[in-house]
Short mmCIF file of all heavy atoms in Angstrom, two decimals:
data_model
loop_
_atom_site.label_atom_id
_atom_site.label_comp_id
_atom_site.label_asym_id
_atom_site.label_seq_id
_atom_site.Cartn_x
_atom_site.Cartn_y
_atom_site.Cartn_z
N ALA B 130 79.02 82.02 124.75
CA ALA B 130 80.32 81.41 124.43
C ALA B 130 80.91 82.19 123.27
O ALA B 130 80.20 82.69 122.40
CB ALA B 130 80.11 79.96 124.05
N GLU B 131 82.21 82.33 123.29
CA GLU B 131 82.86 82.97 122.15
C GLU B 131 84.28 82.46 121.96
O GLU B 131 84.84 81.80 122.83
CB GLU B 131 82.82 84.49 122.27
CG GLU B 131 83.58 85.05 123.46
CD GLU B 131 83.51 86.60 123.54
OE1 GLU B 131 82.39 87.15 123.29
OE2 GLU B 131 84.53 87.21 123.81
N ASP B 132 84.82 82.81 120.81
CA ASP B 132 86.23 82.56 120.52
C ASP B 132 86.58 81.07 120.55
O ASP B 132 87.50 80.65 121.25
CB ASP B 132 87.12 83.34 121.52
CG ASP B 132 88.51 83.58 120.93
OD1 ASP B 132 88.70 83.27 119.74
OD2 ASP B 132 89.39 84.07 121.68
N LEU B 133 85.85 80.31 119.79
CA LEU B 133 86.19 78.89 119.62
C LEU B 133 87.49 78.84 118.83
O LEU B 133 87.58 79.45 117.76
CB LEU B 133 85.06 78.20 118.85
CG LEU B 133 85.11 76.67 118.76
CD1 LEU B 133 84.80 76.04 120.12
CD2 LEU B 133 84.07 76.18 117.73
N ARG B 134 88.52 78.19 119.36
CA ARG B 134 89.82 78.24 118.69
C ARG B 134 90.61 76.98 118.96
O ARG B 134 90.43 76.32 119.98
CB ARG B 134 90.58 79.49 119.13
CG ARG B 134 90.83 79.54 120.65
CD ARG B 134 91.15 80.97 121.06
NE ARG B 134 91.55 81.05 122.46
CZ ARG B 134 90.69 81.15 123.50
NH1 ARG B 134 89.38 81.10 123.30
NH2 ARG B 134 91.15 81.25 124.73
N PRO B 135 91.54 76.67 118.05
CA PRO B 135 92.30 75.44 118.24
C PRO B 135 93.34 75.59 119.33
O PRO B 135 93.80 76.70 119.64
CB PRO B 135 92.97 75.22 116.88
CG PRO B 135 92.99 76.56 116.24
CD PRO B 135 91.84 77.36 116.77
N HIS B 136 93.68 74.50 119.93
CA HIS B 136 94.70 74.43 120.98
C HIS B 136 95.55 73.22 120.61
O HIS B 136 95.06 72.27 119.97
CB HIS B 136 94.00 74.23 122.33
CG HIS B 136 94.92 74.12 123.51
ND1 HIS B 136 95.50 72.92 123.88
CD2 HIS B 136 95.35 75.03 124.43
CE1 HIS B 136 96.25 73.11 124.95
NE2 HIS B 136 96.19 74.40 125.32
N HIS B 137 96.80 73.22 120.99
CA HIS B 137 97.66 72.08 120.54
C HIS B 137 97.12 70.74 121.06
O HIS B 137 97.41 69.72 120.47
CB HIS B 137 99.09 72.29 120.97
CG HIS B 137 99.30 72.35 122.44
ND1 HIS B 137 99.40 71.25 123.22
CD2 HIS B 137 99.38 73.41 123.28
CE1 HIS B 137 99.56 71.61 124.48
NE2 HIS B 137 99.57 72.93 124.53
N ALA B 138 96.30 70.78 122.10
CA ALA B 138 95.78 69.52 122.62
C ALA B 138 94.30 69.33 122.32
O ALA B 138 93.68 68.42 122.84
CB ALA B 138 96.03 69.43 124.11
N GLY B 139 93.70 70.23 121.56
CA GLY B 139 92.27 70.08 121.30
C GLY B 139 91.67 71.42 120.87
O GLY B 139 92.22 72.09 120.01
N THR B 140 90.56 71.76 121.51
CA THR B 140 89.86 72.98 121.13
C THR B 140 89.52 73.80 122.38
O THR B 140 89.08 73.26 123.38
CB THR B 140 88.53 72.62 120.40
OG1 THR B 140 88.88 71.84 119.26
CG2 THR B 140 87.79 73.87 119.96
N GLN B 141 89.75 75.12 122.29
CA GLN B 141 89.47 76.00 123.40
C GLN B 141 88.23 76.85 123.15
O GLN B 141 87.97 77.18 122.00
CB GLN B 141 90.61 77.00 123.57
CG GLN B 141 91.85 76.51 124.26
CD GLN B 141 92.85 77.65 124.39
OE1 GLN B 141 92.87 78.33 125.39
NE2 GLN B 141 93.65 77.85 123.38
N VAL B 142 87.58 77.23 124.21
CA VAL B 142 86.45 78.14 124.07
C VAL B 142 86.38 79.00 125.32
O VAL B 142 86.78 78.59 126.40
CB VAL B 142 85.14 77.35 123.84
CG1 VAL B 142 84.78 76.54 125.10
CG2 VAL B 142 83.99 78.28 123.47
N ASP B 143 85.88 80.23 125.15
CA ASP B 143 85.67 81.12 126.29
C ASP B 143 84.18 81.20 126.61
O ASP B 143 83.37 81.34 125.69
CB ASP B 143 86.18 82.56 125.98
CG ASP B 143 87.68 82.64 126.01
OD1 ASP B 143 88.33 81.64 126.35
OD2 ASP B 143 88.19 83.75 125.69
N LEU B 144 83.86 81.10 127.86
CA LEU B 144 82.50 81.36 128.34
C LEU B 144 82.51 82.69 129.07
O LEU B 144 83.23 82.84 130.02
CB LEU B 144 82.03 80.24 129.25
CG LEU B 144 81.40 78.99 128.60
CD1 LEU B 144 80.08 79.38 127.94
CD2 LEU B 144 82.31 78.32 127.60
N VAL B 145 81.72 83.61 128.56
CA VAL B 145 81.72 84.95 129.17
C VAL B 145 80.45 85.08 129.99
O VAL B 145 79.36 84.73 129.54
CB VAL B 145 81.78 86.04 128.09
CG1 VAL B 145 81.83 87.43 128.72
CG2 VAL B 145 83.00 85.82 127.19
N THR B 146 80.59 85.59 131.20
CA THR B 146 79.47 85.79 132.09
C THR B 146 79.48 87.24 132.52
O THR B 146 80.50 87.73 132.98
CB THR B 146 79.58 84.88 133.33
OG1 THR B 146 79.95 83.60 132.91
CG2 THR B 146 78.27 84.84 134.07
N GLU B 147 78.34 87.89 132.35
CA GLU B 147 78.28 89.30 132.68
C GLU B 147 77.21 89.51 133.76
O GLU B 147 76.08 89.03 133.60
CB GLU B 147 77.88 90.06 131.42
CG GLU B 147 78.43 91.46 131.31
CD GLU B 147 78.14 92.03 129.93
OE1 GLU B 147 76.94 92.21 129.61
OE2 GLU B 147 79.09 92.23 129.18
N VAL B 148 77.56 90.19 134.82
CA VAL B 148 76.59 90.45 135.88
C VAL B 148 76.33 91.94 135.92
O VAL B 148 77.30 92.74 135.99
CB VAL B 148 77.14 89.98 137.26
CG1 VAL B 148 76.14 90.29 138.36
CG2 VAL B 148 77.44 88.46 137.22
N SER B 149 75.07 92.30 135.87
CA SER B 149 74.71 93.72 135.88
C SER B 149 73.78 94.00 137.06
O SER B 149 73.06 93.14 137.54
CB SER B 149 73.98 94.11 134.60
OG SER B 149 74.73 93.75 133.49
N SER B 150 73.86 95.26 137.50
CA SER B 150 72.96 95.69 138.55
C SER B 150 72.48 97.07 138.16
O SER B 150 73.31 97.93 137.78
CB SER B 150 73.73 95.72 139.88
OG SER B 150 72.89 96.17 140.92
N SER B 151 71.20 97.30 138.20
CA SER B 151 70.60 98.58 137.79
C SER B 151 71.11 99.02 136.44
O SER B 151 71.46 100.19 136.24
CB SER B 151 70.89 99.66 138.83
OG SER B 151 70.54 99.23 140.11
N GLY B 152 71.23 98.06 135.51
CA GLY B 152 71.58 98.41 134.13
C GLY B 152 73.06 98.60 133.85
O GLY B 152 73.46 98.78 132.72
N ALA B 153 73.90 98.53 134.86
CA ALA B 153 75.35 98.70 134.64
C ALA B 153 76.05 97.41 134.93
O ALA B 153 75.72 96.69 135.87
CB ALA B 153 75.88 99.79 135.56
#
Side-chain angles (χ1 to χ4, degrees):
Chain B
E131 63 180 42
D132 203 8
L133 190 70
R134 58 199 187 276
H136 179 276
H137 62 82
T140 302
Q141 280 182 93
V142 66
D143 284 357
L144 273 294
V145 182
T146 315
E147 211 172 65
V148 178
S149 307
S150 179
S151 308

